[in-house]
Amino acid sequence: MLVLSAGPGTLGVAPSFVVTREVAPGDLPADPATRLEAFADAQAEQMRDTLPAPVDVQRRRADIPGSAPELRLDWISNGIPIRQWITYANAPDGSMMIATGTAARADYDMAEPVFRAMLNGFRLT
């Protein structure tokens, strides 16, 4: 796991960028691209079900090399509007790489280019 964060933002929430790897569930399709899409869809449903409402989940293709599925979530945490950008990739060992940039919505536009630069500089080995 890699975790990077900045000082507190305008609402006291430090923008952060976290990269983790998860073991892929055994019931996913074998094709790597289809497998990744199914994993991202399952993650989106889980977030809709577990995060406090209202939760807005947008699903699209990432505009990064290798074009992976990504989610953008808007939700409220302890009264603070939060935005998360989550990108998924297949890791060489068969696990799933999940990169998550999180910031208060008020700080997100400032943090997003940094999140994207960090993700573009990240390499799986």
Side-chain angles (χ1 to χ4, degrees), residues 22 38-48 71 86 88 98:
E22 284 192 27
F39 184 77
D41 288 342
Q43 291 269 300
E45 285 305 312
Q46 180 183 20
M47 289 175 211
R48 282 186 187 102
L71 303 175
I86 306 171
Y88 300 89
I98 304 168

Side-chain angles (χ1 to χ4, degrees), residues 10-84:
T10 56
L11 298 175
V13 175
S16 64
F17 186 77
V18 178
V19 178
T20 60
R21 288 172 103 159
E22 284 192 27
V23 175
D27 61 349
L28 292 177
D31 173 68
T34 306
R35 181 174 182 255
L36 193 57
E37 297 291 334
F39 184 77
D41 288 342
Q43 291 269 300
E45 285 305 312
Q46 180 183 20
M47 289 175 211
R48 282 186 187 102
D49 292 342
T50 59
L51 291 174
V55 177
D56 177 36
V57 179
Q58 295 178 16
R59 169 90 155 64
R60 58 185 179 212
R61 304 286 309 161
D63 61 353
I64 57 171
S67 190
E70 73 176 20
L71 303 175
R72 190 179 84 186
L73 284 82
D74 287 312
W75 58 289
I76 309 290
S77 175
N78 295 321
I80 300 172
I82 300 291
R83 176 163 289 161
Q84 291 183 296

Side-chain angles (χ1 to χ4, degrees), residues 3-18 82-83 100-112 114-115 118:
V3 179
L4 303 166
S5 71
T10 56
L11 298 175
V13 175
S16 64
F17 186 77
V18 178
I82 300 291
R83 176 163 289 161
T100 305
T102 303
R105 262 185 255 161
D107 299 328
Y108 188 82
D109 288 344
M110 176 184 61
E112 183 186 24
V114 177
F115 295 157
M118 291 168 71

